[in-house]
Amino acid sequence: MEILNFDKENDYIKKVSEINKNRNLKYYILTMGCMLNENDSEKLCGMIEKMGYTKVSEAQKADLIVFNTCCVRENAEDKLFGNLGELKTYKRETGAIIALGGCMMQEKHIQEKLKVSYPYFDIIFGTHTLNKFPEDLFTILSKKEKVTDVIDIDGDIYEGIPIKRESSVKASVTIMYGCNNFCSYCIVPYVRGRERSRKHEDILKEITKLAKDGYKEITLLGQNVNSYDGGSGYKFSNLLNDVSKIEGIERIRFISPHPKDFTGDVIDAIKQNPKICKILHLPLQSGSSNILNKMNRKYTKNDYLTLAKKIKEKIPEVVFSTDIIVGFPGETEEDFNETLDVVNQIKFEQVFMFIYSRRVGTPADKMENQVPEEIKHERFNRLKALVESQVPENNKKYLGTTQKVLVEGESKNNKEMLTRKNRNK
Ligand code: 5AD
Ligand code: SF4
């Protein structure tokens, strides 16, 4: 893996903006999936705006349409194909450029399906070739040739990609790419490659610049942030300590840590640095040790509960959020009850609940005893009801307290209201 500069692509940005000069072009981008993908989209927006396009919120008003896709669950696929179907006539009538990128494009069967059923796309780019978007756009604009730019090998890390951020107060900063864990249900290691960490100097430089630009809150992103390896023994806890020292940054969050790698030095760094938000995302996935083993999570129910207890003892104000999958192959009623038991014990502040979705190429897809859809849905609803029943009790601890909040902007539902988060949300 090499850390490379974006200079060559800057030449393509210049070439494309020359072609687009005085054309008042518009672009639309749809981002699916996680915060890492959102961060990738901010980079795409940064590059695209430098090439002379202005953002619009409707695909059918754009000259360039970009879908930055996710493939973690099946519903993202349905969403992409639905959107593409709706664009067929618009594409024929206007000749708008359609670019498809991100995780789903790394999958061979998706590429094949697109070529057969939706052949009117112009560019396919993958997770390792995002940085080449200006070059790919130049090819389609200058040669009118369709581009498929997907590579399987782990990409290099590119520093210096322009970025157009959604917010002016909070920013996400990717600290590492890829994942080595191969949880048996998960497609991510196949589409995002092995773990590669950015140099800590580059990360700290980026955050120092963000602080100077007025950003107050930073979220450090990676599939498994606590295996961050900044080289020469520089670990995630070092990064947390160093980011905490940056003047102007008031809040630090990070997602996602893996429970198996949550070491004492990271707990100490969270305790020692008041800027680090005291809500920790600790993905549980299942409360059954039997299912956790089949998921290849490398911890048991007891390990998870012990870790949560250890963190809580050291930092009493900590609350937890989590991810839970229901209906993993072979999950019995007893296994599911173990999950409910953990939820009952921890009283998570927030639970992201997912119905298990079969992913082509993952070990879990080949497992016998796939759980029938109706049982998955029924368990999902029971879990949701339990989580919702805990909300009033969880919120009680804030009654009568004064909370410092970071105002993020106007509320989406009511323009008269501002939206905000406290340190624990
Ligand atoms: N089915 C359902 N949920 C999944 N996740 C990952 N893969 C799958 C899958 N195949 C969930 C996990 C992960 C979150 C980002 O998505 O809970 O933590
Ligand atoms: Fe997927 Fe597991 Fe890696 Fe998370 S840690 S990205 S769930 S393989």
Side-chain angles (χ1 to χ4, degrees), residues 179 181-183 185-186 188-189 223 258 285 297:
C179 181
N181 289 318
F182 290 92
C183 300
Y185 51 81
C186 186
V188 168
Q223 303 295 350
H258 193 302
Q285 311 301 0
R297 291 291 290 176

Side-chain angles (χ1 to χ4, degrees), residues 130-188:
L130 176 108
N131 60 292
K132 282 179 66 203
F133 189 75
E135 190 173 339
D136 296 339
L137 190 57
F138 178 73
T139 307
I140 186 84
L141 285 170
S142 58
K143 302 190 193 137
K144 308 278 179 250
E145 276 170 19
K146 248 189 210 322
V147 184
T148 300
D149 192 2
V150 181
I151 53 171
D152 270 338
I153 48 166
D154 297 349
D156 297 312
I157 290 182
Y158 280 81
E159 294 295 344
I161 300 181
I163 184 156
K164 174 79 196 316
R165 295 185 183 274
E166 280 286 313
S167 160
S168 55
V169 289
K170 53 176 197 170
S172 305
V173 174
T174 301
I175 63 166
M176 58 188 299
Y177 300 87
C179 181
N180 291 353
N181 289 318
F182 290 92
C183 300
S184 63
Y185 51 81
C186 186
I187 193 76
V188 168

Side-chain angles (χ1 to χ4, degrees), residues 72-73 185-186 285 323 325 354-357 359:
V72 168
R73 285 171 296 275
Y185 51 81
C186 186
Q285 311 301 0
D323 292 346
I325 299 176
F354 306 106
I355 290 177
Y356 169 70
S357 172
R359 303 288 70 206

Side-chain angles (χ1 to χ4, degrees), residues 107-381:
E107 297 183 287
K108 289 261 157 19
H109 69 279
I110 295 286
Q111 284 185 30
E112 290 312 315
K113 180 162 176 173
L114 286 166
K115 282 175 188 159
V116 174
S117 307
Y118 305 88
Y120 43 94
F121 66 83
D122 298 283
I123 302 172
I124 287 185
F125 61 100
T127 54
H128 305 301
T129 45
L130 176 108
N131 60 292
K132 282 179 66 203
F133 189 75
E135 190 173 339
D136 296 339
L137 190 57
F138 178 73
T139 307
I140 186 84
L141 285 170
S142 58
K143 302 190 193 137
K144 308 278 179 250
E145 276 170 19
K146 248 189 210 322
V147 184
T148 300
D149 192 2
V150 181
I151 53 171
D152 270 338
I153 48 166
D154 297 349
D156 297 312
I157 290 182
Y158 280 81
E159 294 295 344
I161 300 181
I163 184 156
K164 174 79 196 316
R165 295 185 183 274
E166 280 286 313
S167 160
S168 55
V169 289
K170 53 176 197 170
S172 305
V173 174
T174 301
I175 63 166
M176 58 188 299
Y177 300 87
C179 181
N180 291 353
N181 289 318
F182 290 92
C183 300
S184 63
Y185 51 81
C186 186
I187 193 76
V188 168
Y190 305 90
V191 295
R192 291 240 172 213
R194 295 299 68 71
E195 286 173 5
R196 286 102 60 208
S197 296
R198 284 177 72 195
K199 287 204 300 204
H200 65 272
E201 293 91 340
D202 290 328
I203 298 170
L204 294 172
K205 205 161 88 188
E206 181 176 347
I207 300 175
T208 306
K209 166 89 174 49
L210 286 165
K212 286 209 180 88
D213 292 344
Y215 284 84
K216 301 281 177 241
E217 177 174 312
I218 297 295
T219 303
L220 305 173
L221 297 180
Q223 303 295 350
N224 184 10
V225 284
N226 40 12
S227 59
Y228 172 79
D229 176 6
S232 319
Y234 190 102
K235 294 187 291 193
F236 185 54
S237 55
N238 301 105
L239 188 64
L240 286 176
N241 288 327
D242 284 346
V243 175
S244 291
K245 287 182 202 136
I246 298 176
E247 219 175 297
I249 297 301
E250 292 181 20
R251 283 180 178 188
I252 301 160
R253 301 175 188 271
F254 54 88
I255 51 163
S256 285
H258 193 302
K260 76 175 167 56
D261 298 321
F262 216 111
T263 44
D265 55 322
V266 173
I267 303 175
D268 291 341
I270 298 166
K271 184 180 167 69
Q272 282 152 15
N273 293 298
K275 291 181 180 179
I276 300 177
C277 290
K278 300 301 184 266
I279 180 160
L280 298 182
H281 189 66
L282 203 56
L284 170 68
Q285 311 301 0
S286 168
S288 152
S289 298
N290 168 39
I291 295 294
L292 286 168
N293 182 35
K294 289 189 183 150
M295 285 178 161
N296 194 28
R297 291 291 290 176
K298 302 199 169 72
Y299 54 86
T300 61
K301 175 188 184 188
N302 195 37
D303 293 337
Y304 186 94
L305 290 171
T306 309
L307 174 65
K309 191 159 164 247
K310 181 172 156 195
I311 299 174
K312 198 88 185 152
E313 271 167 11
K314 282 204 170 180
I315 321 168
E317 70 268 37
V318 153
V319 291
F320 296 101
S321 62
T322 201
D323 292 346
I324 293 177
I325 299 176
V326 296
F328 182 83
E331 184 188 70
T332 61
E333 191 57 24
E334 290 75 48
D335 292 320
F336 178 63
N337 281 329
E338 300 276 6
T339 300
L340 296 181
D341 182 45
V342 178
V343 173
N344 264 319
Q345 292 195 46
I346 306 270
K347 306 209 169 17
F348 295 102
E349 203 77 3
Q350 219 177 352
V351 181
F352 298 91
M353 294 168 260
F354 306 106
I355 290 177
Y356 169 70
S357 172
R358 295 177 79 158
R359 303 288 70 206
V360 175
T362 61
D365 183 41
K366 297 183 200 88
M367 288 180 188
E368 286 168 11
N369 304 326
Q370 297 286 331
V371 176
E373 284 306 311
E374 61 276 15
I375 296 183
K376 285 192 209 169
H377 281 89
E378 188 266 325
R379 286 185 188 156
F380 181 88
N381 290 338

